[in-house]
Amino acid sequence: MAAEVYYQAIGIVQSHSHLNNFNRHQKHQSNIVRLVARDFVSCNGLSRRSTNRSGRRNCTVIRSLASQTSVVDPVLSPSRSNAGDSNKKSNEAALILIRHGESLWNEKNLFTGCVDVPLSKKGIDEAIEAGKRISSIPVDVIFTSALIRAQMTAMLAMTQHRRGKVPIILHNESERAKSWSQVFSEDTKKQSIPVIAAWQLNERMYGELQGLNKQETADRYGKEQVHEWRRSYDIPPPNGESLEMCAQRAVAYFRDQIEPQLLSGKNVMISAHGNSLRSIIMYLDKLTSQEVISLELSTGIPMLYIIKEGRFIRRGSPIRPSEAGVYAYTKRLALYKQKLDDMFQ
Amino acid sequence: MMAATFKCQPTGLHGSGIDASAPRSSRNFGRFYSMRFACNTRCNTLRHVHAPLSISHDSSTESSLILIRHGESLWNEKNLFTGCCDVPLTQRGVEEAIEAGKRISFIPVDMIFTSALIRAQMTAMLAMTQHLQKKIPIIIHNENEEATTWTRVYSEKTTKQSIPVITAWELNERMYGELQGLNKQETAERYGKEKVHEWRRSFDIPPPKGESLEMCSKRAVSYFKDFIEPQLKSGKHVMVAAHGNSLRSIIMYLDRLTSQEVTTLELSTGVPLLYIYTEGKYMSRGSPVGSTEAGVYAYTQSLAVYRQQLDEMSP
């Protein structure tokens, strides 16, 4: 069976689209994020989003782990007989981050921000593709932003999930909404994945640039000013948010509402936006503001973190089930996948 | 459970009924209309080829109303009573939505109303990815001051290219009370098949803590009259993406059905229904045929012209 998680030693390097078999430590000064490549295994199709003409990279930044014995297939290892391990919720949980795919305004090159624009056809395909990649990773609770493109991405992705649990969006906006959406079967509840929508996970609010054509805005304000708004840490566009402001509310929400879930052993998926997710990653990976402003997340490519003993360990991006690769799962995840395989045999 | 199509069969110029719909919906239950229609689109094309064409035709006299019932949800698949539980679409439901979108891809849409539930919203947004006109749906947020400010668009041009999407709980599915989440088989065993059938099919008997169809109709139809009808009156073309019970309630109003008739009305999932609103009256126009399916157009002249313009616009 195909491996599904692998470590990718990423280059946000001009010429590279992917790296193979790196065994050395690399530091790229020109690029802002530190790169550590160890125990690298195969890279397969993930970095198809390499540099585009404007110089922006759409690669995920991943630091691989030295400690993980990625070469050994945990499913086949002798310790597999400890089936009970997978049930120990104790202190390990999976965190999946998904950035939604192309929206109809992305297609038109308009600044979107918090305007609630849905996915394009391509964005729908990206969401389903993302879903295939995480189809064997447990999900107990889902958090999305209040915007339809992130919600759709989550729901489309979950149509691919093998476990068969059903996402249910929670409604707490009013008493009536709460009572009307009540479920009256315990069995059904157990088979449900609560979905919580939070404006705090929304995209960065772009103020007076929302709805404007990127070219026109450059013409109106000047390319440098626009670039500054887009890429600085603390300079907001008129009536909008800086990345810092966005990070403030996104990370606060993460710490208050999401982290406790993870610490209690719940596996979480977050479906959100470029800026709210990089804010969270800034917190998870302890990045500096300098590092975060050049962090680019691929759209529709999920990122996996393992929370273990209070620490967030990045595990790269799960590859599709049909892609070959070496298992880089934790034991627990591998057992979970094995169970799914058994269920569907 | 199979839903029969509520469909008006356009009668051809030669008087024969033509089943111009999707393979699933060949049976015709409920009311049947034989319709007259102006002429087929080719006539219109030739007649109007020299006339000044504009997208916004004489809209004060006619506007289109599209009703779409969402497709399969994850609980439909599991045979659970869903009601107002906010359960998303299955892969099949996603495909149904896209298919529905292809069928209405050339019918003008100026505004979209959906329920507050994701399966109807997704259906609308998926359907609109197939639409030929270049306008973009934007969901309106008015839940509080901040939401309104945060979602503001700062370009007039962009606003003109937008289709506002309004979500309303009043268009939600009928609330099924204590049956929500229950397995249909188990419920039949617990309460008895007849009782369950009565709740599901009567007009005014609600399940425990739930809504009767009558209660659902009240809030759905008054929302329609207060918020949707004025848009149609002003010439706006509207799409409503909602649920079996909220839509049949609306159809009860549009077609002036009796409570007896509405309880046997079944709407196909994912098959859009078209109405033309003109001079205060609703004319049912059946279900638009997909663009690749042969059939006789039952368009009004203005819709046919609109479609022709789109054909000319697209590459």
Side-chain angles (χ1 to χ4, degrees):
Chain A
M1 286 300 290
E4 305 204 7
V5 176
Y6 67 106
Y7 294 109
Q8 182 190 29
I10 261 258
I12 305 193
V13 173
Q14 191 78 31
S15 53
H16 282 93
S17 56
H18 56 263
L19 306 168
N20 283 310
N21 292 325
F22 263 107
N23 278 325
R24 41 201 170 89
H25 222 265
Q26 282 203 341
K27 282 202 169 153
H28 299 279
Q29 293 298 23
S30 57
N31 296 307
I32 300 71
V33 184
R34 267 179 288 125
L35 166 73
V36 176
R38 296 182 214 179
D39 282 350
F40 174 75
V41 289
S42 74
C43 167
N44 189 353
L46 181 65
S47 41
R48 54 181 176 272
R49 295 173 190 278
S50 50
T51 58
N52 58 28
R53 261 182 228 109
S54 69
R56 276 183 52 192
R57 272 57 159 241
N58 285 329
C59 303
T60 52
V61 177
I62 296 167
R63 235 178 293 158
S64 56
L65 295 180
S67 55
Q68 192 59 28
T69 53
S70 52
V71 190
V72 174
D73 182 350
V75 174
L76 302 174
S77 71
S79 59
R80 186 185 167 206
S81 57
N82 299 336
D85 278 356
S86 68
N87 293 326
K88 254 195 286 186
K89 291 262 165 104
S90 53
N91 49 17
E92 190 183 300
L95 170 65
I96 300 168
L97 307 179
I98 299 187
R99 179 187 184 188
H100 69 79
E102 188 189 69
S103 80
L104 289 170
W105 275 14
N106 293 151
E107 216 180 23
K108 287 191 152 194
N109 220 24
L110 301 175
F111 282 113
T112 313
C114 284
V115 183
D116 202 351
V117 178
L119 298 172
S120 65
K121 273 188 223 181
K122 181 175 168 200
I124 293 165
D125 292 338
E126 287 180 274
I128 292 177
E129 189 55 38
K132 290 182 180 152
R133 286 168 173 254
I134 55 156
S135 61
S136 302
I137 300 179
V139 177
D140 296 319
V141 63
I142 297 172
F143 289 86
T144 75
S145 73
L147 304 173
I148 192 90
R149 57 197 188 266
Q151 294 173 2
M152 276 177 80
T153 294
M155 298 300 101
L156 289 166
M158 290 306 289
T159 60
Q160 307 299 313
H161 204 266
R162 294 208 292 165
R163 180 60 181 78
K165 286 190 175 184
V166 178
I168 309 223
I169 296 186
L170 298 187
H171 283 269
N172 287 323
E173 53 268 26
S174 66
E175 263 322 300
R176 192 197 46 78
K178 215 184 301 192
S179 62
W180 275 36
S181 55
Q182 231 188 325
V183 179
F184 281 86
S185 157
E186 279 311 308
D187 269 349
T188 301
K189 274 191 221 170
K190 288 204 187 87
Q191 289 297 308
S192 302
I193 300 171
V195 181
I196 297 156
W199 69 265
Q200 292 90 333
L201 296 174
N202 277 10
E203 180 51 294
R204 176 177 157 202
M205 207 272 279
Y206 254 68
E208 289 182 10
L209 302 190
Q210 290 184 165
L212 265 52
N213 179 298
K214 286 170 186 173
Q215 187 52 47
E216 292 167 341
T217 321
D219 291 341
R220 185 187 305 183
Y221 293 103
K223 249 183 148 178
E224 297 77 25
Q225 176 68 99
V226 178
H227 184 83
E228 189 183 54
W229 286 328
R230 296 186 74 191
R231 293 292 166 252
S232 76
Y233 186 62
D234 53 2
I235 303 171
N239 279 328
E241 283 186 310
S242 62
L243 178 50
E244 183 179 27
M245 292 157 75
C246 171
Q248 221 141 26
R249 41 110 169 151
V251 173
Y253 185 84
F254 180 87
R255 291 168 74 170
D256 291 343
Q257 306 290 331
I258 304 182
E259 203 166 332
Q261 300 279 343
L262 293 162
L263 294 174
S264 76
K266 292 255 187 326
N267 302 294
V268 174
M269 173 165 108
I270 302 178
S271 174
H273 308 261
N275 283 300
S276 48
L277 285 177
R278 59 172 26 178
S279 305
I280 289 171
I281 291 171
M282 183 182 180
Y283 169 70
L284 301 178
D285 290 353
K286 305 199 220 278
L287 304 177
T288 65
S289 54
Q290 194 62 24
E291 288 169 327
V292 77
I293 57 182
S294 43
L295 180 61
E296 294 286 352
L297 306 183
S298 268
T299 53
I301 298 189
M303 294 174 58
L304 177 64
Y305 281 79
I306 302 293
I307 287 73
K308 198 165 173 125
E309 281 143 17
R311 289 185 313 130
F312 294 97
I313 304 161
R314 192 182 336 216
R315 301 297 282 222
S317 181
I319 61 176
R320 292 188 56 199
S322 54
E323 290 165 18
V326 179
Y327 281 113
Y329 272 5
T330 60
K331 237 158 39 177
R332 194 182 71 97
L333 283 186
L335 283 170
Y336 183 82
K337 178 173 187 280
Q338 182 61 33
K339 283 204 212 155
L340 283 175
D341 289 344
D342 293 341
M343 266 168 62
F344 289 97
Q345 254 18 301
Chain B
M1 60 180 174
M2 287 299 296
T5 311
F6 172 70
K7 182 174 67 71
C8 299
Q9 299 226 355
T11 53
L13 281 168
H14 307 286
S16 56
I18 297 173
D19 182 355
S21 61
R24 258 195 312 151
S25 51
S26 53
R27 289 174 296 156
N28 187 25
F29 287 67
R31 286 184 67 174
F32 173 88
Y33 300 84
S34 63
M35 299 164 16
R36 57 171 182 82
F37 56 96
C39 75
N40 85 20
T41 195
R42 284 187 187 78
C43 295
N44 285 326
T45 309
L46 293 171
R47 199 174 297 147
H48 288 270
V49 76
H50 297 298
L53 299 177
S54 65
I55 297 289
S56 53
H57 53 277
D58 185 6
S59 50
S60 55
T61 57
E62 199 179 283
S63 40
S64 48
L65 170 65
I66 301 168
L67 307 180
I68 299 188
R69 179 186 184 188
H70 69 78
E72 188 188 64
S73 79
L74 286 167
W75 276 10
N76 292 153
E77 206 185 30
K78 290 188 159 202
N79 221 22
L80 300 177
F81 283 113
T82 313
C84 284
C85 291
D86 202 353
V87 178
L89 300 171
T90 60
Q91 209 168 340
R92 179 168 163 207
V94 169
E95 285 157 17
E96 287 181 271
I98 291 177
E99 193 52 41
K102 290 181 180 152
R103 284 168 172 251
I104 55 153
S105 61
F106 34 79
I107 300 178
V109 177
D110 296 320
M111 283 190 82
I112 299 173
F113 289 86
T114 76
S115 72
L117 304 173
I118 192 87
R119 56 198 188 267
Q121 295 171 8
M122 277 178 78
T123 293
M125 299 300 100
L126 289 165
M128 291 305 290
T129 61
Q130 307 299 312
H131 206 270
L132 291 177
Q133 80 184 9
K134 296 305 172 202
K135 289 187 174 187
I136 292 181
I138 308 232
I139 297 186
I140 306 290
H141 284 269
N142 285 324
E143 45 270 32
N144 54 52
E145 206 38 60
E146 191 180 45
T148 309
T149 317
W150 274 39
T151 54
R152 219 180 117 181
V153 178
Y154 281 84
S155 158
E156 273 308 306
K157 185 170 151 208
T158 302
T159 305
K160 286 205 184 84
Q161 287 296 305
S162 304
I163 301 170
V165 181
I166 295 163
T167 62
W169 68 264
E170 292 91 337
L171 297 174
N172 276 11
E173 179 54 289
R174 175 178 158 202
M175 207 274 280
Y176 255 70
E178 288 184 2
L179 301 190
Q180 289 185 165
L182 263 52
N183 179 299
K184 284 169 187 172
Q185 186 54 38
E186 292 166 341
T187 320
E189 283 163 10
R190 187 187 304 184
Y191 294 101
K193 249 183 148 176
E194 298 76 25
K195 192 57 156 163
V196 177
H197 183 83
E198 189 182 55
W199 287 328
R200 296 185 73 192
R201 294 291 165 252
S202 75
F203 187 63
D204 55 2
I205 303 172
K209 293 218 177 86
E211 283 186 309
S212 62
L213 179 50
E214 184 179 28
M215 292 157 74
C216 172
S217 295
K218 242 185 273 236
R219 41 109 168 153
V221 174
S222 55
Y223 184 86
F224 181 88
K225 290 161 91 165
D226 290 344
F227 293 96
I228 302 181
E229 208 163 40
Q231 300 289 343
L232 293 164
K233 275 202 176 83
S234 75
K236 294 257 186 329
H237 306 285
V238 175
M239 174 166 107
V240 179
H243 308 261
N245 284 300
S246 48
L247 285 177
R248 65 188 354 197
S249 305
I250 289 171
I251 290 171
M252 184 183 180
Y253 168 69
L254 303 179
D255 290 352
R256 295 186 231 272
L257 303 177
T258 65
S259 52
Q260 192 61 25
E261 287 167 325
V262 78
T263 55
T264 49
L265 183 60
E266 294 284 353
L267 307 183
S268 268
T269 53
V271 179
L273 293 178
L274 177 64
Y275 282 79
I276 301 296
Y277 177 84
T278 181
E279 283 153 14
K281 288 192 300 222
Y282 292 95
M283 296 190 320
S284 178
R285 301 300 284 221
S287 182
V289 168
S291 48
T292 53
E293 289 165 28
V296 180
Y297 282 112
Y299 280 70
T300 58
Q301 249 171 29
S302 50
L303 280 187
V305 168
Y306 181 83
R307 187 189 171 172
Q308 181 61 28
Q309 289 167 353
L310 282 174
D311 286 345
E312 283 161 5
M313 273 166 57
S314 53

